[in-house]
Structures are given as structure tokens and as C-alpha cells.
Amino acid sequence: MARIVLMGPPGAGKGTQASAISKKLQVPHIASGNLLREHRAAGTPLGEQASGYMDKGQLVPDDVVIGMILDRLTKSDAAHGFLLDGFPRTIEQATALDKGLGSKPVEQALNIKVSTEELVKRLSGRLTCRNCQTPYHPISAPPKVTGKCDRCGGELYQRDDDKAETVRNRIVAYDKQTALLSDYYKKQHKLVEVNGEQGIDTVQVEIFKALGVKQ
Ligand code: ADP
Ligand code: ADP
Ligand code: ZN
């Protein structure tokens, strides 16, 4: 049983690290950005509501995202825990999550720290699988076959919001709205932090250490 929230600015490596954590702890990886992109691709009303905000690199309104995540958490695979990635991103979302979880609250909030300069480098090179949304990078995390996802063979593409101007907006939104959340979890004695500006494998080892998980 593990109920964990993954935090960190866009490009910190949340998506990259999530699959190993989710596999190890046997809990589903639930990423708000991935769910929103799935809604967009499927053309649902929720996807349409979110679309304009995502293109500008702004946060989608709280009520939209909160409803989507609380609904996802009622699915049976989340009955024994979860790894939330990219949610909560505001105090309102964190409070709504606490309320929704009731007597089974978040246990740990893991913050992956990376400097802004490095984030810009990572995001401008990021490639994402169109099918399963696994992230890659031509230099630091190349796929085995160029342009193809290792996990599912899907096509790799550059997300529209990974282009320079939007990247800057997303980092500003993070600093203004999401960075405050580390205090929220710190006060609850749930915050653990790792230095995300190291090789992918080293970061992974540090994450398991910080979470108190044996490797
Ligand atoms: P997030 O989910 O936090 O936005 P990602 O996991 O998608 O971040 O990583 C952003 C980009 O940086 C991707 O292209 C990924 O391959 C790359 N990346 C992830 N972790 C590292 C790392 N430790 N060092 C260098 N590049 C990384
Ligand atoms: P990254 O990890 O690279 O920041 P995400 O895939 O998590 O990107 O998010 C992409 C976009 O989806 C965000 O820029 C924002 O518009 C929207 N989004 C994702 N999660 C949330 C959230 N919890 N609250 C509001 N908007 C969100
Ligand atoms: Zn894939």
C-alpha cells in the first residue's frame, strides 16, 4: 500500500521515474497531464475545456482537473494505492484531494528538484510516445530505435507545449502556483526531496532511498 504524490517542475523527470516507482510499489501511475491529453485526443468535452489552457502553458481550472482525478481514483486498480504525477498543482487541488481521500490520505509527497536552465534544455528536446506517453530525450534518454517507443512501439512526437515560449509559461506557472505546495506537504511532515539533476539511474536510487523502499 502506497499513496504517493510526485511533484517537481515541468521537465524534472516525473514521467521518467514514475514507471519504475509504480512497478516497484505495484500501484497505478496516474498522470494528470497524460489523462488530459487522452481526453483531448478523444475529443471529449473535458478535453475541449482543457485545450486552450494547455496550449498556452497555463493551468487548467481546478474544478475540471479535480473532478477528473477523483473520478480516476475510484477505479479498482487504485484501491490499494496510487502514484499521482502532476496533481495536485494548487493548494485548492491538494485540499480537494485530502477531502476526497478521507481516512486514506496521501502518505508521501516526493519533490524532484531541478534548476530552470536544465528544465529548458530537457523540455526542448523531449519526445513523447503518442500511444503510451512515455518520455524520451535524444541525448539523455534515447529510445532503442529512433522515433519509436521502447515500451509499445508507438510513434514519438514533440508535444506542442514543449516549444520554447510555452515552456517558459509553464515554468512561471509552476513557480507561481505549484512551488507553494511543498510547504503544504512539509507542514504535514510528508515532504521528501531529491536532487533531480543527476543521471536518470542515480535519481532513481535516491528516490527509493527517500521513500524508504528497499531495492
Ligand atoms: P516531467 O514528467 O517531470 O515533466 P519527464 O520525465 O518527461 O519530466 O522528463 C523531461 C525530459 O527530460 C524528457 O525528455 C526526459 O527524457 C529527460 N530526462 C528525465 N530525467 C532526466 C535526467 N535525470 N537527466 C537528463 N534528462 C532527463
Ligand atoms: P509537465 O509535467 O511537463 O509539466 P504535464 O503533462 O503534467 O506537463 O501537464 C501538461 C499541461 O496539462 C499543463 O501545462 C497544464 O495545462 C495541464 N495540467 C496538467 N496537470 C494539471 C493540474 N494538476 N492542474 C491544472 N492543469 C494541469
Ligand atoms: Zn509507448
Side-chain angles (χ1 to χ4, degrees):
M1 173 85 91
R3 295 183 298 271
I4 298 173
V5 162
L6 257 186
M7 297 193 309
K14 301 182 295 296
T16 299
Q17 299 294 341
S19 51
I21 306 172
S22 137
K23 201 167 154 201
K24 183 90 190 172
L25 300 176
Q26 303 214 310
V27 292
H29 169 216
I30 301 177
S32 48
N34 293 2
L35 291 174
L36 288 168
R37 280 183 292 279
E38 282 167 22
H39 274 281
R40 274 185 87 163
T44 68
L46 197 155
E48 270 167 36
Q49 264 179 300
S51 201
Y53 298 96
M54 295 171 79
D55 285 340
K56 291 190 205 117
Q58 295 169 352
L59 293 189
V60 173
D62 284 331
D63 55 338
V64 176
V65 185
I66 290 168
M68 178 183 78
I69 294 290
L70 291 183
D71 180 58
R72 175 64 185 84
L73 288 173
T74 63
K75 299 235 167 99
S76 61
D77 66 340
H80 301 293
F82 50 78
L83 178 65
L84 279 176
D85 165 3
F87 181 95
R89 256 174 160 96
T90 63
I91 301 287
E92 285 69 24
Q93 292 178 16
T95 320
L97 178 63
D98 281 346
K99 220 171 141 195
L101 292 173
S103 62
K104 290 179 170 177
V106 168
E107 293 164 319
Q108 288 171 307
L110 175 75
N111 191 23
I112 306 179
K113 296 172 79 166
V114 172
S115 69
T116 303
E117 197 192 333
E118 171 72 10
L119 296 176
V120 174
K121 267 192 234 161
R122 288 188 188 179
L123 292 172
S124 55
R126 174 162 66 184
L127 294 171
T128 303
C129 174
R130 218 180 262 290
N131 180 45
C132 75
Q133 309 213 42
T134 298
Y136 295 88
H137 192 285
I139 298 159
S140 54
K144 292 197 180 86
V145 178
T146 307
K148 275 204 174 163
C149 177
D150 293 353
R151 279 174 84 179
C152 76
E155 177 209 1
L156 306 187
Y157 79 112
Q158 185 186 34
R159 277 168 47 180
D160 268 345
D161 62 343
D162 279 346
K163 289 168 189 161
E165 178 61 29
T166 320
V167 163
R168 277 192 291 274
N169 289 344
R170 285 159 57 208
I171 295 172
V172 169
Y174 177 83
D175 288 339
K176 261 197 356 214
Q177 293 161 282
T178 311
L180 302 167
L181 265 188
S182 57
D183 280 342
Y184 180 90
Y185 286 114
K186 198 173 187 174
K187 282 190 192 128
Q188 299 186 5
H189 310 287
K190 290 175 181 171
L191 184 70
V192 288
E193 297 194 302
V194 296
N195 170 13
E197 213 160 324
Q198 312 178 79
I200 291 175
D201 294 345
T202 310
V203 176
Q204 192 180 115
V205 170
E206 289 213 352
I207 287 178
F208 284 129
K209 241 193 254 168
L211 293 176
V213 177
K214 266 215 204 127
Q215 290 198 69

PDB file of all heavy atoms in Angstrom, residues 10-11 14 32-33 36-37 53-54 57-60 65 86-87 89 93 123 126 159 161 170, ligand 2:
ATOM      1  N   PRO A  10       7.891  21.205 -14.564  1.00  0.00           N
ATOM      2  CA  PRO A  10       7.865  20.513 -15.840  1.00  0.00           C
ATOM      3  C   PRO A  10       9.286  20.202 -16.295  1.00  0.00           C
ATOM      4  O   PRO A  10      10.139  21.087 -16.288  1.00  0.00           O
ATOM      5  CB  PRO A  10       7.197  21.518 -16.792  1.00  0.00           C
ATOM      6  CG  PRO A  10       7.123  22.817 -16.067  1.00  0.00           C
ATOM      7  CD  PRO A  10       7.215  22.519 -14.617  1.00  0.00           C
ATOM      8  N   GLY A  11       9.535  18.949 -16.626  1.00  0.00           N
ATOM      9  CA  GLY A  11      10.875  18.555 -17.074  1.00  0.00           C
ATOM     10  C   GLY A  11      11.746  17.987 -15.964  1.00  0.00           C
ATOM     11  O   GLY A  11      12.878  17.578 -16.203  1.00  0.00           O
ATOM     12  N   LYS A  14       9.513  13.541 -13.677  1.00  0.00           N
ATOM     13  CA  LYS A  14       8.426  12.811 -13.006  1.00  0.00           C
ATOM     14  C   LYS A  14       7.983  11.619 -13.858  1.00  0.00           C
ATOM     15  O   LYS A  14       7.937  10.489 -13.378  1.00  0.00           O
ATOM     16  CB  LYS A  14       7.233  13.744 -12.734  1.00  0.00           C
ATOM     17  CG  LYS A  14       7.583  14.959 -11.869  1.00  0.00           C
ATOM     18  CD  LYS A  14       6.378  15.837 -11.587  1.00  0.00           C
ATOM     19  CE  LYS A  14       5.789  16.504 -12.817  1.00  0.00           C
ATOM     20  NZ  LYS A  14       6.680  17.462 -13.507  1.00  0.00           N
ATOM     21  N   SER A  32      -1.918  13.514 -14.412  1.00  0.00           N
ATOM     22  CA  SER A  32      -2.981  14.432 -14.845  1.00  0.00           C
ATOM     23  C   SER A  32      -2.754  14.906 -16.284  1.00  0.00           C
ATOM     24  O   SER A  32      -3.703  14.957 -17.074  1.00  0.00           O
ATOM     25  CB  SER A  32      -3.085  15.623 -13.892  1.00  0.00           C
ATOM     26  OG  SER A  32      -1.816  16.173 -13.656  1.00  0.00           O
ATOM     27  N   GLY A  33      -1.507  15.224 -16.633  1.00  0.00           N
ATOM     28  CA  GLY A  33      -1.222  15.688 -17.995  1.00  0.00           C
ATOM     29  C   GLY A  33      -1.542  14.609 -19.027  1.00  0.00           C
ATOM     30  O   GLY A  33      -2.113  14.894 -20.088  1.00  0.00           O
ATOM     31  N   LEU A  36      -5.295  14.339 -19.377  1.00  0.00           N
ATOM     32  CA  LEU A  36      -5.822  15.489 -20.138  1.00  0.00           C
ATOM     33  C   LEU A  36      -5.543  15.328 -21.631  1.00  0.00           C
ATOM     34  O   LEU A  36      -6.411  15.597 -22.461  1.00  0.00           O
ATOM     35  CB  LEU A  36      -5.219  16.794 -19.613  1.00  0.00           C
ATOM     36  CG  LEU A  36      -5.729  17.258 -18.243  1.00  0.00           C
ATOM     37  CD1 LEU A  36      -4.855  18.391 -17.692  1.00  0.00           C
ATOM     38  CD2 LEU A  36      -7.183  17.724 -18.331  1.00  0.00           C
ATOM     39  N   ARG A  37      -4.326  14.871 -21.974  1.00  0.00           N
ATOM     40  CA  ARG A  37      -4.016  14.686 -23.396  1.00  0.00           C
ATOM     41  C   ARG A  37      -4.864  13.569 -24.003  1.00  0.00           C
ATOM     42  O   ARG A  37      -5.258  13.637 -25.166  1.00  0.00           O
ATOM     43  CB  ARG A  37      -2.516  14.432 -23.603  1.00  0.00           C
ATOM     44  CG  ARG A  37      -1.691  15.727 -23.574  1.00  0.00           C
ATOM     45  CD  ARG A  37      -0.216  15.490 -23.862  1.00  0.00           C
ATOM     46  NE  ARG A  37       0.441  14.755 -22.797  1.00  0.00           N
ATOM     47  CZ  ARG A  37       0.883  15.304 -21.662  1.00  0.00           C
ATOM     48  NH1 ARG A  37       0.736  16.592 -21.445  1.00  0.00           N
ATOM     49  NH2 ARG A  37       1.456  14.572 -20.738  1.00  0.00           N
ATOM     50  N   TYR A  53      -6.086  26.172 -22.363  1.00  0.00           N
ATOM     51  CA  TYR A  53      -5.143  26.402 -21.260  1.00  0.00           C
ATOM     52  C   TYR A  53      -3.841  25.663 -21.514  1.00  0.00           C
ATOM     53  O   TYR A  53      -2.761  26.195 -21.306  1.00  0.00           O
ATOM     54  CB  TYR A  53      -5.740  25.934 -19.926  1.00  0.00           C
ATOM     55  CG  TYR A  53      -7.000  26.668 -19.529  1.00  0.00           C
ATOM     56  CD1 TYR A  53      -8.254  26.137 -19.811  1.00  0.00           C
ATOM     57  CD2 TYR A  53      -6.931  27.900 -18.885  1.00  0.00           C
ATOM     58  CE1 TYR A  53      -9.419  26.811 -19.455  1.00  0.00           C
ATOM     59  CE2 TYR A  53      -8.082  28.581 -18.525  1.00  0.00           C
ATOM     60  CZ  TYR A  53      -9.324  28.028 -18.807  1.00  0.00           C
ATOM     61  OH  TYR A  53     -10.460  28.696 -18.458  1.00  0.00           O
ATOM     62  N   MET A  54      -3.977  24.427 -21.953  1.00  0.00           N
ATOM     63  CA  MET A  54      -2.783  23.606 -22.176  1.00  0.00           C
ATOM     64  C   MET A  54      -1.904  24.214 -23.272  1.00  0.00           C
ATOM     65  O   MET A  54      -0.685  24.260 -23.138  1.00  0.00           O
ATOM     66  CB  MET A  54      -3.182  22.175 -22.546  1.00  0.00           C
ATOM     67  CG  MET A  54      -3.903  21.475 -21.410  1.00  0.00           C
ATOM     68  SD  MET A  54      -4.596  19.896 -21.903  1.00  0.00           S
ATOM     69  CE  MET A  54      -3.134  18.859 -21.871  1.00  0.00           C
ATOM     70  N   GLY A  57       0.124  26.923 -21.903  1.00  0.00           N
ATOM     71  CA  GLY A  57       1.023  26.587 -20.806  1.00  0.00           C
ATOM     72  C   GLY A  57       0.476  27.031 -19.470  1.00  0.00           C
ATOM     73  O   GLY A  57       1.212  27.167 -18.491  1.00  0.00           O
ATOM     74  N   GLN A  58      -0.855  27.297 -19.426  1.00  0.00           N
ATOM     75  CA  GLN A  58      -1.480  27.694 -18.162  1.00  0.00           C
ATOM     76  C   GLN A  58      -2.141  26.498 -17.511  1.00  0.00           C
ATOM     77  O   GLN A  58      -2.463  25.512 -18.172  1.00  0.00           O
ATOM     78  CB  GLN A  58      -2.560  28.757 -18.434  1.00  0.00           C
ATOM     79  CG  GLN A  58      -1.994  30.046 -18.970  1.00  0.00           C
ATOM     80  CD  GLN A  58      -3.084  30.981 -19.486  1.00  0.00           C
ATOM     81  OE1 GLN A  58      -4.253  30.605 -19.582  1.00  0.00           O
ATOM     82  NE2 GLN A  58      -2.689  32.181 -19.840  1.00  0.00           N
ATOM     83  N   LEU A  59      -2.406  26.626 -16.212  1.00  0.00           N
ATOM     84  CA  LEU A  59      -3.087  25.533 -15.521  1.00  0.00           C
ATOM     85  C   LEU A  59      -4.552  25.483 -15.945  1.00  0.00           C
ATOM     86  O   LEU A  59      -5.205  26.515 -16.099  1.00  0.00           O
ATOM     87  CB  LEU A  59      -2.996  25.707 -14.002  1.00  0.00           C
ATOM     88  CG  LEU A  59      -1.612  25.579 -13.374  1.00  0.00           C
ATOM     89  CD1 LEU A  59      -1.724  25.566 -11.856  1.00  0.00           C
ATOM     90  CD2 LEU A  59      -0.888  24.327 -13.855  1.00  0.00           C
ATOM     91  N   VAL A  60      -5.048  24.290 -16.123  1.00  0.00           N
ATOM     92  CA  VAL A  60      -6.460  24.045 -16.398  1.00  0.00           C
ATOM     93  C   VAL A  60      -7.215  24.334 -15.082  1.00  0.00           C
ATOM     94  O   VAL A  60      -6.695  24.049 -14.004  1.00  0.00           O
ATOM     95  CB  VAL A  60      -6.636  22.569 -16.844  1.00  0.00           C
ATOM     96  CG1 VAL A  60      -8.086  22.183 -16.990  1.00  0.00           C
ATOM     97  CG2 VAL A  60      -5.863  22.322 -18.153  1.00  0.00           C
ATOM     98  N   VAL A  65      -9.888  19.614 -13.297  1.00  0.00           N
ATOM     99  CA  VAL A  65      -8.845  18.630 -13.012  1.00  0.00           C
ATOM    100  C   VAL A  65      -9.201  17.809 -11.773  1.00  0.00           C
ATOM    101  O   VAL A  65      -8.985  16.588 -11.736  1.00  0.00           O
ATOM    102  CB  VAL A  65      -7.490  19.355 -12.819  1.00  0.00           C
ATOM    103  CG1 VAL A  65      -6.377  18.366 -12.638  1.00  0.00           C
ATOM    104  CG2 VAL A  65      -7.198  20.250 -13.999  1.00  0.00           C
ATOM    105  N   GLY A  86       1.850  15.056 -11.278  1.00  0.00           N
ATOM    106  CA  GLY A  86       1.345  16.312 -11.851  1.00  0.00           C
ATOM    107  C   GLY A  86       0.058  16.797 -11.207  1.00  0.00           C
ATOM    108  O   GLY A  86      -0.509  17.804 -11.629  1.00  0.00           O
ATOM    109  N   PHE A  87      -0.412  16.109 -10.219  1.00  0.00           N
ATOM    110  CA  PHE A  87      -1.591  16.503  -9.447  1.00  0.00           C
ATOM    111  C   PHE A  87      -1.325  16.133  -7.998  1.00  0.00           C
ATOM    112  O   PHE A  87      -0.864  15.019  -7.751  1.00  0.00           O
ATOM    113  CB  PHE A  87      -2.839  15.776  -9.947  1.00  0.00           C
ATOM    114  CG  PHE A  87      -4.094  16.166  -9.179  1.00  0.00           C
ATOM    115  CD1 PHE A  87      -4.935  17.157  -9.657  1.00  0.00           C
ATOM    116  CD2 PHE A  87      -4.409  15.547  -7.969  1.00  0.00           C
ATOM    117  CE1 PHE A  87      -6.069  17.521  -8.950  1.00  0.00           C
ATOM    118  CE2 PHE A  87      -5.546  15.921  -7.253  1.00  0.00           C
ATOM    119  CZ  PHE A  87      -6.378  16.900  -7.750  1.00  0.00           C
ATOM    120  N   ARG A  89      -1.531  20.456  -8.176  1.00  0.00           N
ATOM    121  CA  ARG A  89      -0.640  21.534  -8.606  1.00  0.00           C
ATOM    122  C   ARG A  89      -1.031  22.853  -7.968  1.00  0.00           C
ATOM    123  O   ARG A  89      -0.372  23.861  -8.205  1.00  0.00           O
ATOM    124  CB  ARG A  89      -0.761  21.686 -10.124  1.00  0.00           C
ATOM    125  CG  ARG A  89       0.413  21.119 -10.936  1.00  0.00           C
ATOM    126  CD  ARG A  89       0.013  21.254 -12.383  1.00  0.00           C
ATOM    127  NE  ARG A  89       1.046  21.223 -13.357  1.00  0.00           N
ATOM    128  CZ  ARG A  89       1.414  20.133 -14.032  1.00  0.00           C
ATOM    129  NH1 ARG A  89       0.925  18.951 -13.746  1.00  0.00           N
ATOM    130  NH2 ARG A  89       2.305  20.241 -14.991  1.00  0.00           N
ATOM    131  N   GLN A  93      -6.339  22.129  -5.175  1.00  0.00           N
ATOM    132  CA  GLN A  93      -6.340  20.726  -5.601  1.00  0.00           C
ATOM    133  C   GLN A  93      -5.889  19.818  -4.463  1.00  0.00           C
ATOM    134  O   GLN A  93      -6.447  18.737  -4.255  1.00  0.00           O
ATOM    135  CB  GLN A  93      -5.417  20.533  -6.817  1.00  0.00           C
ATOM    136  CG  GLN A  93      -5.931  21.215  -8.083  1.00  0.00           C
ATOM    137  CD  GLN A  93      -4.974  21.066  -9.267  1.00  0.00           C
ATOM    138  OE1 GLN A  93      -4.072  20.228  -9.263  1.00  0.00           O
ATOM    139  NE2 GLN A  93      -5.176  21.877 -10.289  1.00  0.00           N
ATOM    140  N   LEU A 123      13.159  20.009 -21.776  1.00  0.00           N
ATOM    141  CA  LEU A 123      11.837  20.061 -22.412  1.00  0.00           C
ATOM    142  C   LEU A 123      11.938  20.336 -23.900  1.00  0.00           C
ATOM    143  O   LEU A 123      11.156  19.799 -24.689  1.00  0.00           O
ATOM    144  CB  LEU A 123      10.966  21.120 -21.726  1.00  0.00           C
ATOM    145  CG  LEU A 123      10.568  20.769 -20.298  1.00  0.00           C
ATOM    146  CD1 LEU A 123       9.878  21.940 -19.632  1.00  0.00           C
ATOM    147  CD2 LEU A 123       9.668  19.542 -20.269  1.00  0.00           C
ATOM    148  N   ARG A 126      12.544  17.028 -25.456  1.00  0.00           N
ATOM    149  CA  ARG A 126      11.712  15.878 -25.089  1.00  0.00           C
ATOM    150  C   ARG A 126      10.886  15.338 -26.252  1.00  0.00           C
ATOM    151  O   ARG A 126      10.280  16.083 -27.009  1.00  0.00           O
ATOM    152  CB  ARG A 126      10.753  16.262 -23.950  1.00  0.00           C
ATOM    153  CG  ARG A 126       9.751  15.135 -23.640  1.00  0.00           C
ATOM    154  CD  ARG A 126       9.114  15.284 -22.295  1.00  0.00           C
ATOM    155  NE  ARG A 126       8.257  16.451 -22.180  1.00  0.00           N
ATOM    156  CZ  ARG A 126       7.653  16.811 -21.052  1.00  0.00           C
ATOM    157  NH1 ARG A 126       7.820  16.093 -19.949  1.00  0.00           N
ATOM    158  NH2 ARG A 126       6.896  17.885 -21.013  1.00  0.00           N
ATOM    159  N   ARG A 159       5.640  17.317 -28.129  1.00  0.00           N
ATOM    160  CA  ARG A 159       4.407  17.951 -27.657  1.00  0.00           C
ATOM    161  C   ARG A 159       4.429  19.423 -28.057  1.00  0.00           C
ATOM    162  O   ARG A 159       5.448  20.078 -27.967  1.00  0.00           O
ATOM    163  CB  ARG A 159       4.334  17.851 -26.127  1.00  0.00           C
ATOM    164  CG  ARG A 159       3.783  16.529 -25.629  1.00  0.00           C
ATOM    165  CD  ARG A 159       3.978  16.343 -24.146  1.00  0.00           C
ATOM    166  NE  ARG A 159       3.594  17.489 -23.321  1.00  0.00           N
ATOM    167  CZ  ARG A 159       3.686  17.510 -21.996  1.00  0.00           C
ATOM    168  NH1 ARG A 159       4.153  16.459 -21.338  1.00  0.00           N
ATOM    169  NH2 ARG A 159       3.313  18.562 -21.322  1.00  0.00           N
ATOM    170  N   ASP A 161       3.288  21.883 -26.515  1.00  0.00           N
ATOM    171  CA  ASP A 161       3.631  22.770 -25.391  1.00  0.00           C
ATOM    172  C   ASP A 161       5.085  22.594 -24.936  1.00  0.00           C
ATOM    173  O   ASP A 161       5.502  23.213 -23.970  1.00  0.00           O
ATOM    174  CB  ASP A 161       2.646  22.606 -24.223  1.00  0.00           C
ATOM    175  CG  ASP A 161       2.627  21.220 -23.608  1.00  0.00           C
ATOM    176  OD1 ASP A 161       3.127  20.262 -24.242  1.00  0.00           O
ATOM    177  OD2 ASP A 161       2.112  21.073 -22.488  1.00  0.00           O
ATOM    178  N   ARG A 170       5.013  27.662 -18.667  1.00  0.00           N
ATOM    179  CA  ARG A 170       4.749  26.562 -17.738  1.00  0.00           C
ATOM    180  C   ARG A 170       5.658  26.658 -16.518  1.00  0.00           C
ATOM    181  O   ARG A 170       5.240  26.342 -15.406  1.00  0.00           O
ATOM    182  CB  ARG A 170       4.923  25.219 -18.458  1.00  0.00           C
ATOM    183  CG  ARG A 170       3.729  24.948 -19.371  1.00  0.00           C
ATOM    184  CD  ARG A 170       4.055  23.942 -20.449  1.00  0.00           C
ATOM    185  NE  ARG A 170       4.514  22.694 -19.920  1.00  0.00           N
ATOM    186  CZ  ARG A 170       5.338  21.867 -20.563  1.00  0.00           C
ATOM    187  NH1 ARG A 170       5.796  22.194 -21.746  1.00  0.00           N
ATOM    188  NH2 ARG A 170       5.687  20.741 -20.014  1.00  0.00           N
TER     189      ARG A 170
HETATM  190  P1  ADP B   2       4.747  18.656 -17.356  1.00  0.00           P
HETATM  191  O1  ADP B   2       4.921  17.521 -16.418  1.00  0.00           O
HETATM  192  O2  ADP B   2       5.726  18.656 -18.468  1.00  0.00           O
HETATM  193  O3  ADP B   2       4.529  19.972 -16.697  1.00  0.00           O
HETATM  194  P2  ADP B   2       2.027  17.835 -17.776  1.00  0.00           P
HETATM  195  O4  ADP B   2       1.912  16.796 -18.817  1.00  0.00           O
HETATM  196  O5  ADP B   2       1.971  17.421 -16.358  1.00  0.00           O
HETATM  197  O6  ADP B   2       3.373  18.594 -18.100  1.00  0.00           O
HETATM  198  O7  ADP B   2       0.938  18.957 -17.996  1.00  0.00           O
HETATM  199  C1  ADP B   2       0.656  19.492 -19.257  1.00  0.00           C
HETATM  200  C2  ADP B   2      -0.414  20.565 -19.119  1.00  0.00           C
HETATM  201  O8  ADP B   2      -1.635  19.989 -18.635  1.00  0.00           O
HETATM  202  C3  ADP B   2      -0.100  21.683 -18.137  1.00  0.00           C
HETATM  203  O9  ADP B   2       0.674  22.714 -18.726  1.00  0.00           O
HETATM  204  C4  ADP B   2      -1.492  22.155 -17.742  1.00  0.00           C
HETATM  205  O10 ADP B   2      -2.067  22.973 -18.749  1.00  0.00           O
HETATM  206  C5  ADP B   2      -2.278  20.852 -17.713  1.00  0.00           C
HETATM  207  N1  ADP B   2      -2.276  20.221 -16.363  1.00  0.00           N
HETATM  208  C6  ADP B   2      -1.710  19.026 -16.017  1.00  0.00           C
HETATM  209  N2  ADP B   2      -1.916  18.755 -14.714  1.00  0.00           N
HETATM  210  C7  ADP B   2      -2.631  19.795 -14.215  1.00  0.00           C
HETATM  211  C8  ADP B   2      -3.145  20.119 -12.929  1.00  0.00           C
HETATM  212  N3  ADP B   2      -2.974  19.301 -11.870  1.00  0.00           N
HETATM  213  N4  ADP B   2      -3.814  21.286 -12.790  1.00  0.00           N
HETATM  214  C9  ADP B   2      -4.013  22.131 -13.821  1.00  0.00           C
HETATM  215  N5  ADP B   2      -3.557  21.896 -15.054  1.00  0.00           N
HETATM  216  C10 ADP B   2      -2.872  20.731 -15.272  1.00  0.00           C
END
